[in-house]
PDB file of all heavy atoms in Angstrom:
ATOM      1  N   GLY N 170      51.507 -83.520 -13.716  1.00  0.00           N
ATOM      2  CA  GLY N 170      50.161 -84.084 -13.699  1.00  0.00           C
ATOM      3  C   GLY N 170      49.577 -84.382 -15.069  1.00  0.00           C
ATOM      4  O   GLY N 170      48.466 -84.914 -15.156  1.00  0.00           O
ATOM      5  N   GLY N 171      50.297 -84.061 -16.117  1.00  0.00           N
ATOM      6  CA  GLY N 171      49.785 -84.385 -17.440  1.00  0.00           C
ATOM      7  C   GLY N 171      49.807 -85.886 -17.684  1.00  0.00           C
ATOM      8  O   GLY N 171      50.348 -86.658 -16.899  1.00  0.00           O
ATOM      9  N   GLY N 172      49.189 -86.307 -18.786  1.00  0.00           N
ATOM     10  CA  GLY N 172      49.178 -87.715 -19.128  1.00  0.00           C
ATOM     11  C   GLY N 172      48.139 -88.011 -20.179  1.00  0.00           C
ATOM     12  O   GLY N 172      47.633 -87.095 -20.844  1.00  0.00           O
ATOM     13  N   SER N 173      47.832 -89.288 -20.315  1.00  0.00           N
ATOM     14  CA  SER N 173      46.849 -89.725 -21.304  1.00  0.00           C
ATOM     15  C   SER N 173      45.618 -90.261 -20.591  1.00  0.00           C
ATOM     16  O   SER N 173      45.737 -90.971 -19.584  1.00  0.00           O
ATOM     17  CB  SER N 173      47.450 -90.818 -22.188  1.00  0.00           C
ATOM     18  OG  SER N 173      48.547 -90.325 -22.921  1.00  0.00           O
ATOM     19  N   VAL N 174      44.460 -89.943 -21.126  1.00  0.00           N
ATOM     20  CA  VAL N 174      43.212 -90.354 -20.514  1.00  0.00           C
ATOM     21  C   VAL N 174      42.164 -90.511 -21.604  1.00  0.00           C
ATOM     22  O   VAL N 174      42.277 -89.889 -22.675  1.00  0.00           O
ATOM     23  CB  VAL N 174      42.767 -89.313 -19.460  1.00  0.00           C
ATOM     24  CG1 VAL N 174      42.441 -87.983 -20.099  1.00  0.00           C
ATOM     25  CG2 VAL N 174      41.614 -89.819 -18.626  1.00  0.00           C
ATOM     26  N   GLN N 175      41.178 -91.329 -21.360  1.00  0.00           N
ATOM     27  CA  GLN N 175      40.092 -91.487 -22.316  1.00  0.00           C
ATOM     28  C   GLN N 175      39.076 -90.361 -22.144  1.00  0.00           C
ATOM     29  O   GLN N 175      38.979 -89.747 -21.066  1.00  0.00           O
ATOM     30  CB  GLN N 175      39.413 -92.835 -22.129  1.00  0.00           C
ATOM     31  CG  GLN N 175      40.275 -94.014 -22.579  1.00  0.00           C
ATOM     32  CD  GLN N 175      39.492 -95.309 -22.654  1.00  0.00           C
ATOM     33  OE1 GLN N 175      38.557 -95.505 -21.878  1.00  0.00           O
ATOM     34  NE2 GLN N 175      39.856 -96.168 -23.581  1.00  0.00           N
ATOM     35  N   ALA N 176      38.328 -90.118 -23.189  1.00  0.00           N
ATOM     36  CA  ALA N 176      37.290 -89.091 -23.139  1.00  0.00           C
ATOM     37  C   ALA N 176      36.343 -89.360 -21.970  1.00  0.00           C
ATOM     38  O   ALA N 176      35.974 -90.509 -21.715  1.00  0.00           O
ATOM     39  CB  ALA N 176      36.517 -89.071 -24.453  1.00  0.00           C
ATOM     40  N   GLY N 177      35.993 -88.290 -21.274  1.00  0.00           N
ATOM     41  CA  GLY N 177      35.149 -88.410 -20.100  1.00  0.00           C
ATOM     42  C   GLY N 177      35.920 -88.531 -18.805  1.00  0.00           C
ATOM     43  O   GLY N 177      35.338 -88.421 -17.717  1.00  0.00           O
ATOM     44  N   GLY N 178      37.222 -88.761 -18.922  1.00  0.00           N
ATOM     45  CA  GLY N 178      38.054 -88.913 -17.743  1.00  0.00           C
ATOM     46  C   GLY N 178      38.490 -87.593 -17.141  1.00  0.00           C
ATOM     47  O   GLY N 178      38.082 -86.511 -17.596  1.00  0.00           O
ATOM     48  N   SER N 179      39.346 -87.690 -16.119  1.00  0.00           N
ATOM     49  CA  SER N 179      39.801 -86.510 -15.379  1.00  0.00           C
ATOM     50  C   SER N 179      41.303 -86.542 -15.191  1.00  0.00           C
ATOM     51  O   SER N 179      41.921 -87.613 -15.140  1.00  0.00           O
ATOM     52  CB  SER N 179      39.134 -86.458 -13.994  1.00  0.00           C
ATOM     53  OG  SER N 179      37.735 -86.363 -14.099  1.00  0.00           O
ATOM     54  N   LEU N 180      41.869 -85.354 -15.077  1.00  0.00           N
ATOM     55  CA  LEU N 180      43.270 -85.174 -14.725  1.00  0.00           C
ATOM     56  C   LEU N 180      43.377 -83.932 -13.864  1.00  0.00           C
ATOM     57  O   LEU N 180      42.556 -83.006 -13.984  1.00  0.00           O
ATOM     58  CB  LEU N 180      44.144 -84.993 -15.962  1.00  0.00           C
ATOM     59  CG  LEU N 180      44.485 -86.209 -16.815  1.00  0.00           C
ATOM     60  CD1 LEU N 180      45.204 -85.774 -18.085  1.00  0.00           C
ATOM     61  CD2 LEU N 180      45.336 -87.203 -16.040  1.00  0.00           C
ATOM     62  N   ARG N 181      44.395 -83.891 -13.018  1.00  0.00           N
ATOM     63  CA  ARG N 181      44.673 -82.681 -12.261  1.00  0.00           C
ATOM     64  C   ARG N 181      46.101 -82.247 -12.509  1.00  0.00           C
ATOM     65  O   ARG N 181      47.042 -83.012 -12.261  1.00  0.00           O
ATOM     66  CB  ARG N 181      44.455 -82.877 -10.756  1.00  0.00           C
ATOM     67  CG  ARG N 181      44.529 -81.548  -9.995  1.00  0.00           C
ATOM     68  CD  ARG N 181      44.234 -81.674  -8.530  1.00  0.00           C
ATOM     69  NE  ARG N 181      45.378 -82.106  -7.754  1.00  0.00           N
ATOM     70  CZ  ARG N 181      45.571 -81.819  -6.470  1.00  0.00           C
ATOM     71  NH1 ARG N 181      44.683 -81.074  -5.828  1.00  0.00           N
ATOM     72  NH2 ARG N 181      46.635 -82.280  -5.835  1.00  0.00           N
ATOM     73  N   LEU N 182      46.247 -81.035 -12.995  1.00  0.00           N
ATOM     74  CA  LEU N 182      47.566 -80.455 -13.231  1.00  0.00           C
ATOM     75  C   LEU N 182      47.961 -79.611 -12.020  1.00  0.00           C
ATOM     76  O   LEU N 182      47.119 -78.977 -11.387  1.00  0.00           O
ATOM     77  CB  LEU N 182      47.554 -79.583 -14.479  1.00  0.00           C
ATOM     78  CG  LEU N 182      47.070 -80.239 -15.774  1.00  0.00           C
ATOM     79  CD1 LEU N 182      47.190 -79.243 -16.929  1.00  0.00           C
ATOM     80  CD2 LEU N 182      47.823 -81.510 -16.073  1.00  0.00           C
ATOM     81  N   SER N 183      49.253 -79.619 -11.748  1.00  0.00           N
ATOM     82  CA  SER N 183      49.799 -78.798 -10.681  1.00  0.00           C
ATOM     83  C   SER N 183      50.886 -77.892 -11.241  1.00  0.00           C
ATOM     84  O   SER N 183      51.581 -78.273 -12.192  1.00  0.00           O
ATOM     85  CB  SER N 183      50.401 -79.667  -9.570  1.00  0.00           C
ATOM     86  OG  SER N 183      49.436 -80.518  -9.010  1.00  0.00           O
ATOM     87  N   CYS N 184      51.029 -76.725 -10.649  1.00  0.00           N
ATOM     88  CA  CYS N 184      52.081 -75.797 -11.037  1.00  0.00           C
ATOM     89  C   CYS N 184      52.675 -75.214  -9.767  1.00  0.00           C
ATOM     90  O   CYS N 184      52.014 -74.441  -9.056  1.00  0.00           O
ATOM     91  CB  CYS N 184      51.530 -74.696 -11.924  1.00  0.00           C
ATOM     92  SG  CYS N 184      52.729 -73.406 -12.335  1.00  0.00           S
ATOM     93  N   ALA N 185      53.903 -75.593  -9.499  1.00  0.00           N
ATOM     94  CA  ALA N 185      54.592 -75.114  -8.309  1.00  0.00           C
ATOM     95  C   ALA N 185      55.445 -73.900  -8.653  1.00  0.00           C
ATOM     96  O   ALA N 185      56.262 -73.955  -9.580  1.00  0.00           O
ATOM     97  CB  ALA N 185      55.464 -76.221  -7.737  1.00  0.00           C
ATOM     98  N   ARG N 186      55.254 -72.840  -7.900  1.00  0.00           N
ATOM     99  CA  ARG N 186      55.990 -71.595  -8.121  1.00  0.00           C
ATOM    100  C   ARG N 186      57.126 -71.511  -7.114  1.00  0.00           C
ATOM    101  O   ARG N 186      56.916 -71.726  -5.914  1.00  0.00           O
ATOM    102  CB  ARG N 186      55.059 -70.407  -7.955  1.00  0.00           C
ATOM    103  CG  ARG N 186      55.707 -69.037  -8.134  1.00  0.00           C
ATOM    104  CD  ARG N 186      54.742 -67.949  -7.719  1.00  0.00           C
ATOM    105  NE  ARG N 186      55.307 -66.618  -7.797  1.00  0.00           N
ATOM    106  CZ  ARG N 186      56.127 -66.091  -6.892  1.00  0.00           C
ATOM    107  NH1 ARG N 186      56.472 -66.767  -5.824  1.00  0.00           N
ATOM    108  NH2 ARG N 186      56.590 -64.857  -7.062  1.00  0.00           N
ATOM    109  N   SER N 187      58.316 -71.200  -7.585  1.00  0.00           N
ATOM    110  CA  SER N 187      59.469 -71.044  -6.701  1.00  0.00           C
ATOM    111  C   SER N 187      60.322 -69.888  -7.186  1.00  0.00           C
ATOM    112  O   SER N 187      60.061 -69.302  -8.246  1.00  0.00           O
ATOM    113  CB  SER N 187      60.291 -72.335  -6.663  1.00  0.00           C
ATOM    114  OG  SER N 187      60.825 -72.611  -7.948  1.00  0.00           O
ATOM    115  N   GLY N 188      61.329 -69.571  -6.394  1.00  0.00           N
ATOM    116  CA  GLY N 188      62.232 -68.483  -6.761  1.00  0.00           C
ATOM    117  C   GLY N 188      62.002 -67.280  -5.886  1.00  0.00           C
ATOM    118  O   GLY N 188      62.149 -67.364  -4.673  1.00  0.00           O
ATOM    119  N   ARG N 189      61.623 -66.177  -6.449  1.00  0.00           N
ATOM    120  CA  ARG N 189      61.442 -64.927  -5.726  1.00  0.00           C
ATOM    121  C   ARG N 189      60.396 -65.091  -4.627  1.00  0.00           C
ATOM    122  O   ARG N 189      59.360 -65.720  -4.821  1.00  0.00           O
ATOM    123  CB  ARG N 189      60.995 -63.839  -6.698  1.00  0.00           C
ATOM    124  CG  ARG N 189      61.078 -62.428  -6.146  1.00  0.00           C
ATOM    125  CD  ARG N 189      60.404 -61.457  -7.078  1.00  0.00           C
ATOM    126  NE  ARG N 189      58.975 -61.734  -7.140  1.00  0.00           N
ATOM    127  CZ  ARG N 189      58.254 -61.621  -8.235  1.00  0.00           C
ATOM    128  NH1 ARG N 189      58.820 -61.262  -9.371  1.00  0.00           N
ATOM    129  NH2 ARG N 189      56.959 -61.869  -8.229  1.00  0.00           N
ATOM    130  N   THR N 190      60.685 -64.526  -3.461  1.00  0.00           N
ATOM    131  CA  THR N 190      59.738 -64.617  -2.355  1.00  0.00           C
ATOM    132  C   THR N 190      58.496 -63.795  -2.643  1.00  0.00           C
ATOM    133  O   THR N 190      58.497 -62.912  -3.500  1.00  0.00           O
ATOM    134  CB  THR N 190      60.377 -64.133  -1.050  1.00  0.00           C
ATOM    135  OG1 THR N 190      60.848 -62.791  -1.245  1.00  0.00           O
ATOM    136  CG2 THR N 190      61.546 -65.015  -0.665  1.00  0.00           C
ATOM    137  N   GLY N 191      57.439 -64.110  -1.909  1.00  0.00           N
ATOM    138  CA  GLY N 191      56.176 -63.448  -2.154  1.00  0.00           C
ATOM    139  C   GLY N 191      55.383 -64.207  -3.193  1.00  0.00           C
ATOM    140  O   GLY N 191      55.789 -65.262  -3.670  1.00  0.00           O
ATOM    141  N   SER N 192      54.248 -63.692  -3.554  1.00  0.00           N
ATOM    142  CA  SER N 192      53.390 -64.356  -4.527  1.00  0.00           C
ATOM    143  C   SER N 192      53.216 -63.488  -5.759  1.00  0.00           C
ATOM    144  O   SER N 192      53.424 -62.278  -5.724  1.00  0.00           O
ATOM    145  CB  SER N 192      52.033 -64.666  -3.903  1.00  0.00           C
ATOM    146  OG  SER N 192      51.399 -63.471  -3.497  1.00  0.00           O
ATOM    147  N   SER N 193      52.844 -64.127  -6.837  1.00  0.00           N
ATOM    148  CA  SER N 193      52.516 -63.397  -8.050  1.00  0.00           C
ATOM    149  C   SER N 193      51.119 -62.788  -7.905  1.00  0.00           C
ATOM    150  O   SER N 193      50.327 -63.223  -7.079  1.00  0.00           O
ATOM    151  CB  SER N 193      52.551 -64.330  -9.252  1.00  0.00           C
ATOM    152  OG  SER N 193      53.856 -64.832  -9.454  1.00  0.00           O
ATOM    153  N   THR N 194      50.812 -61.800  -8.724  1.00  0.00           N
ATOM    154  CA  THR N 194      49.492 -61.182  -8.676  1.00  0.00           C
ATOM    155  C   THR N 194      48.423 -62.154  -9.151  1.00  0.00           C
ATOM    156  O   THR N 194      47.344 -62.238  -8.573  1.00  0.00           O
ATOM    157  CB  THR N 194      49.470 -59.931  -9.553  1.00  0.00           C
ATOM    158  OG1 THR N 194      50.500 -59.041  -9.129  1.00  0.00           O
ATOM    159  CG2 THR N 194      48.123 -59.235  -9.477  1.00  0.00           C
ATOM    160  N   ALA N 195      48.742 -62.883 -10.193  1.00  0.00           N
ATOM    161  CA  ALA N 195      47.796 -63.842 -10.751  1.00  0.00           C
ATOM    162  C   ALA N 195      48.555 -64.979 -11.403  1.00  0.00           C
ATOM    163  O   ALA N 195      49.716 -64.820 -11.797  1.00  0.00           O
ATOM    164  CB  ALA N 195      46.885 -63.165 -11.784  1.00  0.00           C
TER     165      ALA N 195
END
């Protein structure tokens, strides 16, 4: 989701977690 944008603009970053089952604490 990274990229280039002008000041005042918006971006949304995503982070997909995989591997070990279950979830991280934070």
